[in-house]
């Protein structure tokens, strides 16, 4: 099977849904930020602070290209992996791309629940709230997330419901392919 890649802004539930799908489909889950941290022996926030965002995006691109080309994986990239057109093309070429969306207020609530340092949200203009920063970046990135094969709003659905929707969609895709 083509690998499934779950794109989406921070806090849209990529890791949570990824875990459930990996279990249901009996496939390995690859969290690309975790791969970056393991390979670089540095936290993502440290990479941003030491080398800057551009270097992080280069590392992210390299890791994405290596994993996206492999079949039978559930891949959870960082929320900014869609920024490069080249990354979006690699995902589309090799994977079924599912974008997870959520309302900004829900994203704020979810990112405030854990202690992960998120450089993109910390990088705010004076007086800009975290919610305003989320809205700003989300608006910039929305066209990239919308290039997916399937869009899922995770704001009000349980992870089990979302997993079910993905499984139904995958079956439809497989059915359609039989008739091609
Ligand atoms: C980023 C999202 C983070 C991480 C990095 C940059 C982004 O991943 O890759 O902090 O640009 O949106 P998550 O989406 O898993 O939080």
């Amino acid at each position: 099977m083509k690998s499934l890649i779950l794109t989406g802004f921070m806090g849209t539930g990529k890791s949570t849904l990824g875990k459930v799908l990996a279990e249901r489909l009996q496939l390995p889950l690859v969290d690309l930020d975790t791969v970056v941290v393991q390979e670089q022996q540095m936290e993502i926030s440290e990479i941003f602070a030491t080398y800057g965002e551009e270097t992080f995006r280069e590392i992210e691109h390299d890791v994405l290209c290596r994993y996206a080309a492999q079949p039978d994986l559930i891949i959870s990239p960082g929320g900014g992996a869609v920024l490069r057109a080249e990354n979006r093309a690699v995902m589309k070429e090799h994977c079924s791309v599912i974008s997870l969306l959520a309302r900004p207020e829900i994203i704020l609530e979810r990112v405030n629940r854990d202690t992960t340092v998120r450089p993109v949200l910390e990088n705010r203009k004076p007086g800009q709230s975290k919610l305003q920063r989320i809205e700003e970046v989300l608006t910039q990135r929305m066209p990239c997330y919308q290039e997916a094969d399937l869009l899922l709003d995770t704001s009000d659905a349980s992870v089990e419901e979302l997993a079910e929707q993905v499984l139904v969609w995958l079956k439809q895709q497989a059915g359609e392919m039989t008739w091609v």
Side-chain angles (χ1 to χ4, degrees):
M1 174 186 127
K2 260 181 163 184
S3 287
L4 263 189
I5 191 154
L6 302 172
T7 64
F9 201 74
M10 304 165 221
T12 52
K14 301 182 293 285
S15 311
T16 312
L17 180 60
K19 273 184 206 139
V20 174
L21 285 173
E23 211 163 277
R24 297 282 301 267
L25 291 164
Q26 290 290 293
L27 294 174
L29 171 68
V30 181
D31 181 307
L32 297 187
D33 276 351
T34 305
V35 174
V36 170
V37 170
Q38 280 166 355
E39 290 187 356
Q40 301 298 317
Q41 294 285 295
M42 277 174 106
E43 291 302 321
I44 303 289
S45 55
E46 259 183 281
I47 301 174
F48 268 76
T50 313
Y51 303 113
E53 178 166 354
E54 222 10 71
T55 302
F56 170 72
R57 297 296 173 206
E58 209 47 56
I59 299 168
E60 179 176 60
H61 170 72
D62 170 69
V63 172
L64 172 76
C65 289
R66 270 189 277 141
Y67 282 93
Q70 297 178 35
D72 299 318
L73 297 174
I74 308 292
I75 304 172
S76 172
V82 294
L83 285 170
R84 289 192 177 189
E86 214 181 334
N87 288 357
R88 301 198 297 279
V90 166
M91 293 185 210
K92 277 279 207 181
E93 184 185 348
H94 300 286
C95 308
S96 297
V97 186
I98 301 180
S99 268
L100 306 184
L101 310 173
R103 292 190 296 278
E105 294 75 13
I106 301 274
I107 292 175
L108 178 68
E109 206 181 289
R110 291 177 184 164
V111 296
N112 278 344
R113 251 186 248 150
D114 71 52
T115 52
T116 312
V117 180
R118 295 180 155 91
V120 172
L121 296 186
E122 295 314 315
N123 180 17
R124 301 198 291 275
K125 298 181 198 92
Q128 188 179 37
S129 71
K130 214 189 242 187
L131 181 61
Q132 286 167 339
R133 178 67 179 150
I134 291 171
E135 285 166 341
E136 178 182 61
V137 185
L138 202 50
T139 305
Q140 288 163 359
R141 292 184 183 174
M142 199 50 91
C144 303
Y145 293 133
Q146 283 173 335
E147 284 184 25
D149 301 309
L150 177 71
L151 295 172
L152 282 180
D153 190 335
T154 69
S155 302
D156 304 306
S158 72
V159 65
E160 287 77 20
E161 284 165 352
L162 293 164
E164 209 50 52
Q165 286 179 35
V166 172
L167 295 174
V168 167
W169 177 77
L170 281 174
K171 268 192 200 147
Q172 282 169 358
Q173 301 286 104
E176 273 166 28
M177 283 176 65
T178 313
W179 291 100
V180 166

